[in-house]
Amino acid sequence: MTNTRFSGLRHRFRPWFIVWLVVMWCMLMGEVTVANLVGGLIASLFIVFALPLPAMPVAGISVSWGKLFIFMVQWFVELMEASVKVGWLAVRPQEVPKTAIVRLPMRLENEFVLALAVSLYNLQPGGTVTDIDIANRMITIHILDARDEAQIQREIDAVSRLESSMIEIFERSHP
């Protein structure tokens, strides 16, 4: 008979997560010292055991690492472009552009991949996901620059490209 009181602790212990937290602690402190390593270890053990995260819904996900690398390079380029565009919108000597709220369907099956796609979209300046309807797989986005239909369509196409990339990278049917 197993002791149910401690069986949950066994599932909470994630060594690589603890290592990652210790590294983040040392980065936060600005240097790697014995005291920072011990402090990071104590903090990470407290986080892992006292504040457990639920299991991630990663069943059915297999990562295409090459496509992920290409996507991340493209995403960073788009991040720089979007930052320049939003910066120009902020300082240009014209009126504030019209904005729009658009509701779009999402084909992503896995909730983790959907959350990742929403996070990546939100990190790009110029658009924000304002609502996620998980049951119906719909997102509502706020478009910062919606001066005409072509601009709105460009943003819808960007969401569609993001969604397609996430499907190719994480949800493809063959390993």
Side-chain angles (χ1 to χ4, degrees):
M1 182 163 138
T2 62
N3 188 345
T4 57
R5 181 175 177 214
F6 294 107
S7 65
L9 291 176
R10 193 169 8 111
H11 296 292
R12 291 182 188 179
F13 185 72
R14 298 179 183 152
W16 290 111
F17 187 60
I18 291 172
V19 169
W20 180 80
L21 286 172
V22 170
V23 169
M24 292 297 112
W25 181 269
C26 288
M27 289 174 63
L28 181 66
M29 295 299 124
E31 62 183 339
V32 178
T33 65
V34 173
N36 285 342
L37 288 171
V38 171
L41 183 61
I42 291 169
S44 65
L45 288 172
F46 174 77
I47 289 168
V48 168
F49 290 116
L51 309 168
L53 294 172
M56 301 262 290
V58 294
I61 294 178
S62 89
V63 179
S64 173
W65 293 103
K67 289 179 182 179
L68 177 62
F69 178 76
I70 292 168
F71 170 78
M72 291 309 297
V73 170
Q74 292 170 341
W75 187 85
F76 279 112
V77 169
E78 291 173 4
L79 175 66
M80 296 303 132
E81 291 172 354
S83 297
V84 169
K85 287 178 186 176
V86 170
W88 175 245
L89 285 174
V91 299
R92 69 190 176 124
Q94 294 177 358
E95 287 186 30
V96 177
K98 291 181 181 179
T99 63
I101 303 288
V102 180
R103 191 168 158 91
L104 302 171
M106 295 295 279
R107 296 175 294 146
L108 297 168
E109 295 175 9
N110 186 285
E111 290 178 13
F112 175 72
V113 177
L114 178 61
L116 180 61
V118 166
S119 296
L120 288 169
Y121 183 76
N122 281 338
L123 288 171
Q124 293 276 3
T128 304
V129 174
T130 60
D131 185 49
I132 304 170
D133 180 356
I134 293 176
N136 296 315
R137 292 295 193 249
M138 299 286 287
I139 62 170
T140 304
I141 62 171
H142 174 262
I143 301 172
L144 180 63
D145 185 6
R147 65 192 118 148
D148 57 24
E149 288 295 321
Q151 191 68 24
I152 294 171
Q153 190 58 48
R154 274 193 288 278
E155 199 63 32
I156 292 170
D157 292 343
V159 171
S160 180
R161 282 192 310 275
L162 174 64
E163 175 188 49
S164 296
S165 294
M166 294 291 102
I167 290 170
E168 286 180 21
I169 294 167
F170 297 107
E171 293 186 350
R172 63 194 195 288
S173 59
H174 59 280

